[in-house]
């Protein structure tokens, strides 16, 4: 190994150590989870709640049953960040949920979906009728795949089943980066 590559390896090691240090020091916490605008002819909601399981760890669970066959699913997702009330922040996306379930698209949605998919039964495609569950979903700061400024956030998701608003879900969380 030449001198140059040793220096490079050293710099790389220090850089990785710093990265891991700063990533580990960030904190993600769900603060509220609300399901409303429920159209009970379309979906029945058995569970929509957060649970504090340990100090600093809160899990999110949703358990519902889609009562009629869904052949089109429109999803409208919007992110808000708190600053004198919640203000629209960065993403306001409407996408075709049935297309997404066949083959995920829209990078920011794919990132979020990959976080909660392991906790869910979302491995079906349209047409679909039956249970929809996300149980015990939690994330830790280091799993946040993108740089995120510290703050309080709200992800509002409206689910339109066969063009009718069937349910609205609001996920509130706080994120603190680079706690040292
Ligand atoms: C977000 O998108 C929805 C639907 O496309 C639109 O009605 C709404 O006005 C948008 N909101 C903002 C703040 O851009
Ligand atoms: C979805 O996952 C469940 C449980 O892991 C499995 O039983 C089922 O066969 C899967 N369905 C599809 C369409 O992959």
């Amino acid at each position: 190994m030449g001198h140059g590559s040793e220096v490079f390896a050293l710099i790389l090691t220090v850089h990785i150590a710093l990265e891991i240090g700063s990533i580990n020091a960030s904190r993600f916490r769900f603060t509220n989870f609300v399901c409303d605008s429920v159209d009970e002819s379309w979906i029945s909601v058995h569970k929509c709640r957060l649970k504090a399981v340990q100090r600093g760890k809160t899990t999110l669970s949703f358990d519902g049953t889609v009562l009629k066959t869904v052949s089109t699913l429109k999803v409208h997702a919007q992110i808000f960040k708190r600053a004198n009330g919640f203000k629209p922040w960065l993403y306001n996306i409407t996408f075709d949920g049935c297309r997404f379930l066949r083959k995920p698209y829209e990078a920011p949605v794919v990132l979020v979906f990959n976080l909660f998919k392991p906790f869910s039964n979302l491995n079906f495609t349209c047409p679909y009728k039956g249970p929809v569950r996300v149980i015990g979903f939690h994330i830790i700061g280091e799993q946040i795949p993108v740089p995120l400024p510290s703050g309080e956030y709200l992800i509002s998701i409206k689910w339109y089943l066969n063009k009718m608003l069937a349910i609205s879900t609001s996920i509130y969380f706080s994120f603190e980066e680079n706690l040292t």
Side-chain angles (χ1 to χ4, degrees):
M1 208 192 227
H3 185 63
S5 55
E6 277 170 43
V7 170
F8 176 73
L10 177 66
I11 290 172
L12 190 66
T13 307
V14 170
H15 181 72
I16 289 171
L18 288 174
E19 286 278 303
I20 290 171
S22 61
I23 289 171
N24 278 342
S26 52
R27 183 158 59 214
F28 176 97
R29 203 159 59 87
F30 289 118
T31 52
N32 199 6
F33 179 36
V34 178
C35 298
D36 57 17
S37 306
V38 177
D39 179 339
E40 286 169 0
S41 70
W42 271 104
I43 185 163
S44 62
V45 176
H46 318 301
K47 186 183 287 179
C48 172
R49 70 154 190 243
L50 299 182
K51 188 172 171 188
V53 291
Q54 288 167 18
R55 224 167 86 86
K57 182 176 163 192
T58 302
T59 64
L60 176 151
S61 294
F62 176 85
D63 184 6
T65 305
V66 175
L67 303 169
K68 293 188 282 195
T69 302
V70 175
S71 46
T72 73
L73 167 61
K74 185 177 89 172
V75 184
H76 174 215
Q78 192 168 7
I79 304 186
F80 299 83
K81 186 173 190 293
R82 190 177 205 146
N84 292 319
F86 283 99
K87 301 285 159 55
W89 184 79
L90 207 53
Y91 291 116
N92 185 20
I93 299 177
T94 300
F95 64 96
D96 175 343
C98 285
R99 177 180 159 197
F100 187 91
L101 289 168
R102 280 196 309 275
K103 191 174 191 305
Y105 73 111
E106 290 280 18
V109 184
V110 175
L111 284 177
V112 174
F113 183 68
N114 286 343
L115 290 173
F116 75 80
K117 189 168 191 262
F119 300 89
S120 79
N121 74 331
L122 295 176
N123 64 348
F124 49 76
T125 53
C126 304
Y128 184 76
K129 178 181 163 180
V132 176
R133 295 194 192 100
V134 177
I135 303 294
F137 173 41
H138 59 272
I139 34 187
I140 48 177
E142 70 190 61
Q143 287 176 300
I144 301 293
V146 289
L148 188 67
S150 294
E152 303 277 324
Y153 294 87
L154 158 63
I155 300 182
S156 156
I157 310 174
K158 291 186 162 58
W159 307 84
Y160 296 85
L161 307 185
N162 294 9
K163 304 210 166 82
M164 307 289 291
L165 176 62
I167 186 169
S168 170
T169 50
S170 301
I171 301 162
Y172 295 80
F173 65 92
S174 66
F175 185 73
E176 290 169 86
E177 59 170 349
N178 299 336
L179 301 166
T180 39

